[in-house]
Amino acid sequence: MVGAGRGEKIVQMLKKVRPQQAALVMGLMALVGVGLATRTLPPAAQAAVPKAAVAVPLPAPTRPAPPALVATINALGGGFQGRVGIAVRSIDEGWVVGHAMDQRMPQQSVSKLWVALTTMNAIDEGKLALATPVTITRSDLTLFHQPIAYLMKDGVFRTTVGDLLRRALTLSDNTANDKLLNLAGGPVAVRDFIASRGLGNIRFGPGERLLQAKTAGLPWKQEYSQGNAFAQARSQLDPNVRRAAYQAYVADPPDGAGAGAIADALARLRHGMLLTPQSTSWLLDTMSHTRTGRARLRAALPTGWSVAHKTGTGQDLGGRTAGFNDVGILTAPDGKSYAVAVMIGDTARPVQERQQLIQTVVSAIVAVHG
């Protein structure tokens, strides 16, 4: 346990932020039943990762990580009932704070970020353009959240690459994302982009349809893209089949990623190390208009702060959820920014507690920012 001196410092730090944020931080600590404990961060995952290019180093830290934030993140991560990875990187000062940063957690729709980056890279290379016309047909439909399906007329929806990017990032539209994935070259192209930029501990799965079907214990059929056909087929499975498939997914997610690697990738994006300046600006501006996850990172931002982010939420089974995430870049009124990744890989805790965990990470960052 931390001595009284450090606990008092954190309390004083929280007094500098708005009262509801301070209450949120302290309240969640009480909820998880832990003090402001320090722990040694886990070592890097030993699992082999694909060979990749050596990334250009991020700027070296100009100061140590704030001790109060280290204590807070360790307390939050260690006290939460479920698997969670947390990473916070100061984009300006270079320090990193985290809990279980190298453990791969299911990304779910966070992986749409890598599809968007790969697509924007294709635009930078002249292979695509934001204005490139695209036609969506019923054969492109996926499952779960796909609002684009309701815009089809006579089985067709005509749009552009830029519009699909906006829908995939801000609305988390699965069909928009999978169409972009195909246009960009498929899963192999995304994995190649991740490897070529040296982004490290980030996997990319087989695409929305195959990933979700396997997680449920079903072989994919295109007929599942219509109405609630997928949910009906899933409900008819032997419960043991569903449970085994779910457990296999959370144990070794094909779309798994470490929170630390995601935060590093976001910092590289903000530093302009992944795309051209024009594409970097366009992508971050689009992410700042994300409409999903309003009770996650965005909910804890005080006036004057902004966030460019991407959420992800997985399938439920017996009260458990395989992935409840939010990752993004927080920017303070003075222009300083922080890359944040909160990845709840598997938990049965109520949704409100998951949201509180994510919000409290933000409140702790705001507190040390001053």
Side-chain angles (χ1 to χ4, degrees), residues 221-370:
K221 298 179 181 179
Q222 188 56 28
E223 64 197 60
Y224 292 158
S225 67
Q226 302 295 320
N228 65 342
F230 181 84
Q232 288 182 339
R234 185 178 60 179
S235 68
Q236 294 170 7
L237 282 172
D238 182 327
N240 292 324
V241 172
R242 277 211 65 195
R243 191 177 303 110
Y246 179 98
Q247 193 58 44
Y249 172 67
V250 297
D252 188 22
D255 66 335
I262 293 174
D264 284 357
L266 289 167
R268 292 179 187 282
L269 175 62
R270 182 65 179 80
H271 279 298
M273 301 168 71
L274 303 183
L275 301 169
T276 63
Q278 182 178 4
S279 290
T280 298
S281 177
W282 190 94
L283 185 58
L284 290 175
D285 179 70
T286 300
M287 291 171 65
S288 73
H289 291 87
T290 291
R291 293 165 61 182
T292 58
R294 293 182 179 180
R296 302 186 195 184
L297 290 177
R298 185 180 295 278
L301 288 177
T303 301
W305 285 68
S306 63
V307 61
H309 67 126
K310 184 70 197 77
T311 59
T313 307
Q315 294 184 50
D316 295 328
L317 180 64
R320 296 165 63 189
T321 302
F324 192 91
N325 315 316
D326 205 355
V327 310
I329 298 172
L330 310 182
T331 302
D334 63 6
K336 291 185 177 180
S337 53
Y338 303 86
V340 184
V342 184
M343 308 286 290
I344 302 175
D346 183 22
T347 187
R349 300 308 301 162
V351 168
Q352 185 177 10
E353 288 187 21
R354 307 173 201 177
Q355 293 169 338
Q356 284 181 333
L357 173 66
I358 295 172
Q359 292 172 26
T360 305
V361 171
V362 175
S363 295
I365 294 168
V366 172
V368 299
H369 181 81

Side-chain angles (χ1 to χ4, degrees), residues 7 24 42 44 100 157 164 169 186 192 203 258 277 321:
L24 186 59
F157 177 69
L164 290 179
L169 290 168
D192 286 348
R203 287 176 169 175
T321 302

